[in-house]
Amino acid sequence: MNEFTVREFTVSSPDAGPYALAEGPDGALWFTLVHQDAVARRDPGDGRVTVHPVGAGPTVIAPGPDGAMWFTEYRAHRVGRIAPDGTYSSFAPPTPEGGPFGIVAGPDGAMWFTLSGVDRVGRVTMDGEVTEYPAPGAFPSAITVGPDGALWCALNQQNAVGRLTTDGRGTAHPLPTGGAAPVGITAGPDGALWFTEIGAGRIGRITVAGEITEYPLSDPAARPHAVTAGPDGALWFTEWGSGRIGRITVDGHVTSYALSRPDSEPHGIARHDGAVWCALETGSLARIEVTHDRTHDRSHDRSHD
């Protein structure tokens, strides 16, 4: 059967707000401290945490093709860059007060990010040149690269998933469930995109052809937030409303696992060091280690609530 080990590491004060995290090109785990206006690095060897002050409201973080980490500064309305040695710079999109949120390394050597407040998607080159395109719908949140070489984003207030080519052509795919309010999105191991429906308590799957499947969670109030592909061939997601971590196989079997506190506020989730890690806004990072058994996936998964 699948075995899960959860360990939590305190990395900040409870009011600093670890929000999102990602493995860096340097092998370290980088995470944002959204309320402390800082980005931090957890050393892969001794676990030492180094905190770097940045602009206001650092939110989502992602590795860049240049060996640095790139992140959105939601309240400063800028995109930040931090090198492994802590050197920091930031870049302003052309549209002011845009509320940048999601960010990902694109297939074209640039970073792509969402401007949730102004319904736009931005692109920034490694030398800081920023361009923008209209988003395919309202309030684009998380963004990822699909297997088709396009950018895919959750359109939170459009109740849709959007697709944007690297030359700026957008398409929206409406969701079957009203009020789904998608937030997180990631490329799955099955050639599809997987996303969270924070408003409907569901996990969604969309093929590059636009075919959508939704999987309801056992707790409709779980408020699934971020999602990532795990090291075990399944998708992992945070349940912000219930203080749990969820797992869904590519054929739709869902399990859910409790963290130390129901009010731990798990937000970002990422693969790192052979495990799944998530950011708890109460001041910790949780590491979920998985021992995988595919037979268990097919026939014995059950929901825990």
Side-chain angles (χ1 to χ4, degrees), residues 72-151:
T72 51
E73 298 178 350
Y74 189 80
R75 292 196 302 271
H77 304 291
R78 299 176 72 90
V79 173
R81 176 191 184 274
I82 191 162
D85 65 359
T87 304
Y88 159 71
S89 54
S90 68
F91 309 94
T95 303
E97 307 296 309
F101 182 81
I103 191 167
V104 71
D108 56 350
M111 301 300 292
W112 288 75
F113 58 95
T114 59
L115 291 162
S116 57
V118 291
D119 302 340
R120 298 181 72 78
V121 174
R123 175 186 185 270
V124 57
T125 64
M126 296 304 94
D127 57 3
E129 180 184 347
V130 184
T131 52
E132 291 179 4
Y133 302 96
F139 208 89
S141 52
I143 188 168
T144 194
V145 177
D148 56 351
L151 287 307

Side-chain angles (χ1 to χ4, degrees), residues 186-268:
T186 195
D190 57 345
L193 291 306
W194 291 75
F195 55 94
T196 59
E197 299 184 0
I198 197 170
R202 296 170 180 245
I203 302 297
R205 176 185 185 271
I206 183 170
T207 67
V208 293
E211 299 168 355
I212 297 170
T213 309
E214 295 173 311
Y215 301 95
L217 304 180
S218 58
D219 179 5
R223 298 189 68 76
H225 178 80
V227 60
T228 193
D232 58 343
L235 288 303
W236 290 78
F237 54 94
T238 51
E239 297 183 8
W240 174 52
S242 62
R244 301 172 74 91
I245 299 298
R247 175 182 184 268
I248 185 169
T249 62
V250 293
D251 54 356
H253 293 285
V254 179
T255 47
S256 178
Y257 300 91
L259 296 167
S260 61
R261 292 167 46 181
D263 63 345
S264 57
E265 295 190 56
H267 278 104

